[in-house]
Each structure stands twice: as structure tokens, then as C-alpha cells.
Amino acid sequence: MHYWLMKSEPEEVGIDDLQRLGQIGWFGVRNYQARNFMRDVMRVGDGVLFYHSSCPQPGIAGLAEVCSPAYPDPTQFDPESKYFDPKATLEAPRWQQVDVRFVRKTRLLALEALRRDLLLADMQVLQRGNRLSITPVSEAHWRHLQDLLT
DNA sequence: GCCAACGTTGGC
DNA sequence: GCCAACGTTGGC
């Protein structure tokens, strides 16, 4: 069992979209480290902090759960998609995604508040220069965040 | 729109 | 395998 923080731009897919759809494929990851987390480490049932990025109020907006193993991200094959990758083929896909299901919305726990919380100071997502859209979350951080989000 | 930080690419 | 140039992320 692992825990994750996954960033999404709410203009593209926000927590309300996940709630409406119930479940989505986490398409569009184009970073090898983040892909490897999905492919090699994630398991069905892992907990997910759904984070809104690149928006007026960045922060944790809800809880979700990994609900499929990794499989090829279809947008890499679609020339119309902004995530199209000309070097990916059906025989040798490059990019993977997992399905994520909605658990619940939370109050918005703003990035600013995360940074102020000393117990979260060493969260990977808060480290200087971090750009990974998927980062592991320790069990201690997960538990603390559950308390904050209750 | 700026820009710090980091990842990727490609020539050598 | 080095590393300069370039591209991207994402908060501000």
C-alpha cells in the first residue's frame, strides 16, 4: 500500500470532473519518473491526494484511489491530442496511465497552508524545485493530512 | 508574463 | 558520456 499526490490542472480535469465521472484515466503524464511510479510502484487501492495546480488556488482538493494497473495512455497515439508522441507506437508505447476513482471532495487545503505546516516540511511535493506531477506521500504525512482534511 | 529549477535532446 | 541549448513546469 502506497500513498500519492497527483497534480492536475483543474481547467483540464478537476476534482468536480472526477466526481461527475466517478473514474478517469490519468492521461497526459510525460515524465519518465512519474510514469515509472505508475508502472512499477502503484497498486490498486493506493490512496491519492488530488491536487489542483496551475490555477488561482493551488492545493489539495480531494481524495481518490488508484483503481487499475498501469496501461498505455491512449493520447500518445492521437495526432489530434496535445499529448501526442510521434515516437510512441502501439507495439512500443512510451507512456502509461492508471485509472483513478473518486473518493471524496475535501475543503481546499492550499499550498500556502501545506507550506506553513511544519509536520509536512519534508513532503516531496513541497521541496524546492520539485516539478514531478506524481509524488509519493509517506504514511505519516498521509495520516496527518487525513486529520487536516476531516 | 516572469523566471527558477529541472528534464530532454542532440552534436561532438 | 559530456554538456549547451532548449523546453516545460508551476508558483507568483
Side-chain angles (χ1 to χ4, degrees):
Chain A
M1 178 76 167
H2 293 98
Y3 305 101
W4 306 94
L5 182 142
M6 299 175 77
K7 295 180 185 173
S8 182
E9 301 186 11
E11 292 219 335
E12 186 162 27
V13 180
I15 190 70
D16 291 331
D17 299 304
L18 183 60
Q19 180 168 33
R20 183 162 40 81
L21 297 169
Q23 170 177 335
I24 53 164
W26 202 268
F27 63 91
V29 170
R30 294 295 179 267
N31 169 282
Y32 289 104
Q33 206 179 336
R35 178 204 66 183
N36 294 349
F37 280 142
M38 290 195 288
R39 189 189 60 191
D40 304 334
V41 191
M42 274 189 187
R43 295 292 177 265
V44 171
D46 281 0
V48 173
L49 303 165
F50 194 109
Y51 180 95
H52 284 172
S53 69
S54 294
C55 60
Q57 284 274 11
I60 295 168
L63 299 174
E65 192 177 288
V66 175
C67 66
S68 86
Y71 62 96
D73 175 346
T75 63
Q76 71 192 302
F77 309 122
D78 176 6
E80 302 302 308
S81 169
K82 72 185 230 194
Y83 297 112
F84 178 63
D85 182 347
K87 293 183 181 167
T89 64
L90 286 168
E91 297 72 30
R94 261 193 185 195
W95 305 110
Q96 304 271 120
Q97 65 182 31
V98 295
D99 290 339
V100 165
R101 75 168 182 84
F102 178 76
V103 173
R104 68 179 175 92
K105 280 183 76 165
T106 61
R107 69 184 176 88
L108 186 96
L109 187 49
L111 175 60
E112 191 181 34
L114 297 174
R115 291 204 184 283
R116 275 199 308 262
D117 189 327
L118 295 179
L119 292 179
L120 299 175
D122 55 347
M123 264 191 96
Q124 188 170 333
V125 73
L126 301 180
Q127 300 315 300
R128 177 186 179 80
N130 172 75
R131 293 189 318 169
L132 265 188
S133 62
I134 299 177
T135 48
V137 174
S138 74
E139 186 166 0
H141 289 153
W142 174 267
R143 287 211 186 118
H144 180 56
L145 285 160
Q146 298 302 307
D147 290 341
L148 293 180
L149 293 167
T150 296

